[in-house]
Amino acid sequence: MNPEVILYTNPMSRGRIVRWMLEEVGCPYEAKVADFGPAMRTPAFLALNPMGKVPVLRHGDRVVTECAAICAYLADAFPQAGLAPPPDRRDTYYQALFFAAGPLEQATTNHTMGFEPQGERNQGLAGYGSYARTLDALEKLLPAEGYICGQQFTAADLYLGAQIGWGLQFGSIEQRPGFAEYYARVGDRPAHRRATELDDADMPAEAD
């Protein structure tokens, strides 16, 4: 029987975050590695995601795109994994998820490309204000111990933690008190290690 859950991914993409989420969920799934370029521009792939990118999740007859949305969807679709707090305690959960997917990713991407909005008007139009202001907000969002929702590890910790881990590794997030400590807490999980091993195994072989 084919798995009901299929992940279209590439080990050099944000699909690594969804693979980690699937390992946390513990449901059977199939990972289909898609090559960048023409393979993601075919009519069949664009029918899954008109943006022509991964990750894409197919769950039965449902298709979900955008990494943060996939993580939130899986937390709700498989509640037995305990990766989302009860609906009446999701304020900080949603804030962390969408802060990471919006202002944090936009600010760090622009910073990496050497772009910084200048002046109050342009900073307002950008939505995140400035790179420094965004990291200030991130610093205040992170708990000194535990997780975003107290002692419960959730999809928000997974997604936000992955963003911080990548940012620290590649230099798009500067070293500040608490960043590395938080990532160490959320990243040191068996599901993360399993997902990393699986994605590393799917990396293309280096040319001689």
Side-chain angles (χ1 to χ4, degrees), residues 16-142:
R16 281 181 172 260
I17 302 176
V18 177
R19 171 94 78 165
W20 177 8
M21 184 71 186
L22 284 166
E23 290 295 321
E24 292 281 358
V25 165
C27 68
Y29 70 93
E30 178 183 0
K32 293 188 176 183
V33 176
D35 293 329
F36 293 115
M40 294 189 191
R41 300 291 188 270
T42 64
F45 193 86
L46 291 174
L48 294 171
N49 187 355
M51 291 289 289
K53 65 176 186 176
V54 291
V56 177
L57 185 87
R58 184 193 289 275
H59 182 198
D61 60 357
R62 295 179 292 280
V63 175
V64 188
T65 65
E66 301 306 323
C67 195
I70 295 172
C71 290
Y73 173 84
L74 286 170
D76 287 342
F78 298 93
Q80 67 276 13
L83 292 168
D88 62 348
R89 293 198 292 108
R90 291 191 181 181
D91 47 344
T92 308
Y93 170 80
Y94 286 133
Q95 178 188 354
L97 266 175
F98 296 111
F99 172 79
L104 181 61
E105 181 160 353
Q106 186 182 8
T108 54
T109 299
N110 286 351
H111 179 75
T112 300
M113 295 189 298
F115 171 75
E116 179 78 21
Q118 300 298 320
E120 185 175 347
R121 180 178 183 276
N122 288 337
Q123 290 182 354
L125 288 171
Y128 62 87
S130 69
Y131 175 75
R133 190 184 307 171
T134 303
L135 294 193
D136 289 346
L138 175 61
E139 206 167 4
K140 293 176 181 177
L141 178 64
L142 298 182

Side-chain angles (χ1 to χ4, degrees), residues 154-190:
T154 69
D157 295 290
L158 187 152
Y159 186 78
L160 180 60
Q163 294 277 16
I164 293 173
W166 283 3
L168 293 175
Q169 180 180 356
F170 295 107
S172 60
I173 292 180
E174 65 186 33
Q175 295 285 344
R176 288 200 183 185
F179 289 0
E181 289 88 346
Y182 174 76
Y183 177 67
R185 290 199 300 277
V186 304
D188 187 24
R189 296 177 63 83

